[in-house]
Amino acid sequence: MNAKQFLLQECDNVLATLQDVLRHDYAAGSSEEFYNEFCERLKFLESLILPVDPSDASALGMFANEVSLLSTLVHRMERSHAGEFPWPFTEYLRNLAEPLCKESLPDNEGEPIIRVYAEGGLFSYQINLESDLSVLNVGRRIFTIVFPRTLRHHVLLHAIFGHEIGHAAWTIPENKSELRSKVLEPLRSKGHLNSTSQATHWLRDPQAPAAIVELRKQYSDDSYTEIDRNQLDSWFQEFLCDLFGLVTFGGSFLAAHQTLLLALDPSGHRWGPYHPPYICRKAMLWRACKHLKWDQFPASIRDDKFRAGITTFINNYSPSTEPGPWEDVFTQEQVAAAVDALIAILTKAGTSCYAMPDEETLSHLVRMLEERIPPCGSDLSGSETPVNRSVDFRHILLAGWLVADKVNATADSAEQRKQFLQLNKLCEMGLLQQRAIDLYNSGEDREAA
């Protein structure tokens, strides 16, 4: 069997695997769309391979890579088996992400196909949207949401997907152009990260925090503190995506962001080729919260005890003290301009930006959690004609973090630490019930119309 014959055989194998995979029970939606899109690509690939000369090593090598990519997509489909992820959360996440991942194409070709699957490791959180690198005729991009298998029930931590929405949106050419000119340009206009030379000088600043000085001693090679263009571009993409997370998920993103990133780097000072120091990212988010006036939110709460709890939460994740001069790489004006531009872009695209809840809504959700009831817009008054309300799923996550922080403050034993998982599961169930309420209410609205 020569290389060409093997590649054609592998095309048959991939199709057979896909048909076998789709015999199983998968989450509702997009399986048929995935199958049709995949078959179109496979058919096109076979038409490209058939006329190739068996001695054309260059063409066969390229097509071998394409067959491998299709095989990988089938594997991801298999990993997206129903029950492997909290699908109510995923439905809400899709509503936020899809408008930004659409493209200006005829009919429904601009609509992405979304699949979700679990992966190992805490670094697994990501959203991948296909690029234009394939030689195949890609009709609809396949959009995969990936999360750590061990955290599948930890919906409070899933708020980090707000950051990943930014990475997905960045892959769409028309989005990238607008995000670069309107959001990143204000951040890059001046300051420590204005250029590679400025950034290198900043990392080598003798007045840097002690932890930075210690890292420079550990990695004494000059290349460790020398920033090149690709690294700086990657850093700015992370800053951009952090703003995405904040603007789309609000306070729950701040909590998930700090919890996960400090778990991976407890010092918060390390940097690498793709990620700037966490302390700089937190400083930017602090300025963004200040611009959005979220630090003033507790003042709107009338109940003293409830207001104190919210104040503690905000101080935990966006302290009232200003960041230090080294990590504060952007001015308030720069961050304000970037945030306002991002909100305008998201709003135009049809993605809902986060707005703080009113006291009644948030206190209702918190009270339900404290009573170990899944938080949602359910009417618990006991009325014969209950009125279940629509509640933004992100308010459920915020309520979950407010209660979780109080629990974690005294979580000294393994048994107490389990309460965080229990709260996550309550919030997961709350999202499910809220989804049912939303579907029921939308059905009633259609009947009334």
Side-chain angles (χ1 to χ4, degrees):
M1 178 180 288
N2 61 34
K4 177 180 175 179
Q5 291 169 329
F6 173 77
L7 291 179
L8 289 170
Q9 179 65 56
E10 182 61 7
C11 286
D12 293 339
N13 295 340
V14 170
L15 180 59
T17 302
L18 175 66
Q19 291 170 337
D20 181 63
V21 162
L22 290 178
R23 289 188 299 106
H24 301 288
D25 179 28
Y26 288 85
S30 80
S31 290
E32 182 180 354
E33 297 168 338
F34 181 94
Y35 180 80
N36 291 337
E37 173 65 24
F38 192 94
C39 287
E40 284 293 322
R41 295 188 193 187
L42 195 57
K43 182 179 178 181
F44 184 54
L45 179 58
E46 288 178 328
S47 73
L48 294 176
I49 296 174
L50 281 169
V52 173
D53 189 313
S55 64
D56 189 343
S58 176
L60 291 173
M62 176 177 65
F63 293 136
N65 184 58
E66 292 294 341
V67 173
S68 181
L69 286 174
L70 290 178
S71 177
T72 301
L73 283 175
V74 172
H75 171 70
R76 289 177 177 174
M77 183 70 173
E78 190 172 21
R79 296 295 299 276
S80 66
H81 191 279
E84 292 296 303
F85 59 95
W87 69 262
F89 177 89
T90 307
E91 288 295 311
Y92 287 118
L93 181 62
R94 286 174 59 165
N95 292 338
L96 288 177
E98 276 189 334
L100 287 163
C101 297
K102 288 181 181 178
E103 298 181 82
S104 302
L105 296 173
D107 300 323
N108 72 337
E109 288 187 6
E111 298 275 352
I113 297 171
I114 295 180
R115 303 306 308 171
V116 184
Y117 71 96
E119 193 58 86
L122 291 176
F123 292 94
S124 300
Y125 275 116
Q126 57 188 294
I127 293 180
N128 297 321
L129 194 65
E130 290 186 297
S131 67
D132 293 314
L133 298 178
S134 174
V135 300
L136 300 184
N137 179 25
V138 176
R140 295 174 63 183
R141 296 182 196 255
I142 297 172
F143 169 26
T144 55
I145 299 170
V146 191
F147 66 94
R149 180 69 173 79
T150 55
L151 298 178
R152 65 189 186 279
H153 293 301
H154 287 72
V155 292
L156 299 184
L157 293 173
H158 294 351
I160 198 68
F161 275 121
H163 174 99
E164 301 303 330
I165 289 174
H167 284 301
W170 184 257
T171 66
I172 305 296
E174 57 191 88
N175 285 346
K176 184 182 290 187
S177 175
E178 193 169 22
L179 291 169
R180 182 184 285 120
S181 63
K182 295 182 179 179
V183 182
L184 287 186
E185 188 56 37
L187 296 179
R188 303 188 78 147
S189 62
K190 59 183 176 181
H192 297 312
L193 304 183
N194 175 247
S195 65
T196 55
S197 57
Q198 285 271 68
T200 299
H201 176 75
W202 166 71
L203 276 181
R204 295 173 179 175
D205 183 359
Q207 302 302 315
I212 297 296
V213 175
E214 183 59 33
L215 282 170
R216 294 197 304 238
K217 289 178 181 177
Q218 290 180 32
Y219 304 95
S220 55
D221 191 322
D222 283 348
S223 62
Y224 183 63
T225 55
E226 187 167 353
I227 305 299
D228 62 25
R229 174 52 57 186
N230 289 335
Q231 184 173 10
L232 194 58
D233 288 346
S234 294
W235 282 18
F236 271 102
Q237 190 178 146
E238 291 302 309
F239 286 124
L240 168 71
C241 293
D242 283 346
L243 291 180
F244 258 92
L246 184 72
V247 168
T248 54
F249 274 85
S252 60
F253 172 77
L254 283 176
H257 189 258
Q258 178 170 304
T259 300
L260 287 166
L261 268 62
L262 287 185
L264 299 172
D265 172 26
S267 77
H269 290 80
R270 292 185 178 276
W271 67 88
Y274 304 109
H275 298 90
Y278 168 74
I279 56 172
C280 300
R281 299 166 70 173
K282 184 172 182 177
M284 180 196 67
L285 293 175
W286 179 87
R287 292 205 171 277
C289 289
K290 184 178 178 182
H291 173 63
L292 294 167
K293 295 182 170 53
W294 288 351
D295 57 327
Q296 300 175 23
F297 176 64
S300 67
I301 305 299
R302 297 183 301 275
D303 183 271
D304 292 342
K305 185 178 179 181
F306 192 38
R307 181 173 62 251
I310 294 174
T311 301
T312 299
F313 172 84
I314 290 177
N315 286 338
N316 283 343
Y317 300 107
S318 186
S320 57
T321 55
E322 289 202 18
W326 187 87
E327 61 263 31
D328 199 12
V329 294
F330 305 118
T331 66
Q332 188 64 44
E333 292 73 22
Q334 285 177 287
V335 175
V339 168
D340 288 344
L342 181 57
I343 289 174
I345 291 170
L346 296 178
T347 302
K348 184 178 72 173
T351 293
S352 169
C353 296
Y354 186 74
M356 286 291 191
D358 58 72
E359 180 176 359
E360 181 184 357
T361 297
L362 189 57
S363 62
H364 175 74
L365 297 172
V366 168
R367 188 163 55 251
M368 291 178 80
L369 272 172
E370 290 175 339
E371 295 175 6
R372 294 300 184 263
I373 300 171
C376 59
S378 294
D379 182 352
L380 302 181
S381 65
S383 169
E384 293 183 2
T385 55
V387 179
N388 296 321
R389 296 182 300 153
S390 178
V391 171
D392 191 318
F393 83 103
R394 296 165 292 187
H395 298 338
I396 294 173
L397 299 181
L398 178 59
W401 275 108
L402 287 171
V403 177
D405 266 13
K406 286 193 288 187
V407 169
N408 291 338
T410 58
D412 297 325
S413 68
E415 190 62 34
Q416 288 172 313
R417 289 195 298 272
K418 287 180 182 177
Q419 293 184 58
F420 182 64
L421 175 58
Q422 292 166 359
L423 285 169
N424 273 274
K425 288 185 174 181
L426 283 170
C427 289
E428 182 181 1
M429 186 59 67
L431 293 176
L432 175 62
Q433 293 182 8
Q434 187 60 55
R435 182 70 176 152
I437 290 170
D438 293 342
L439 289 172
Y440 178 79
N441 287 343
S442 65
E444 282 198 329
D445 291 342
R446 284 195 297 271
E447 289 180 8

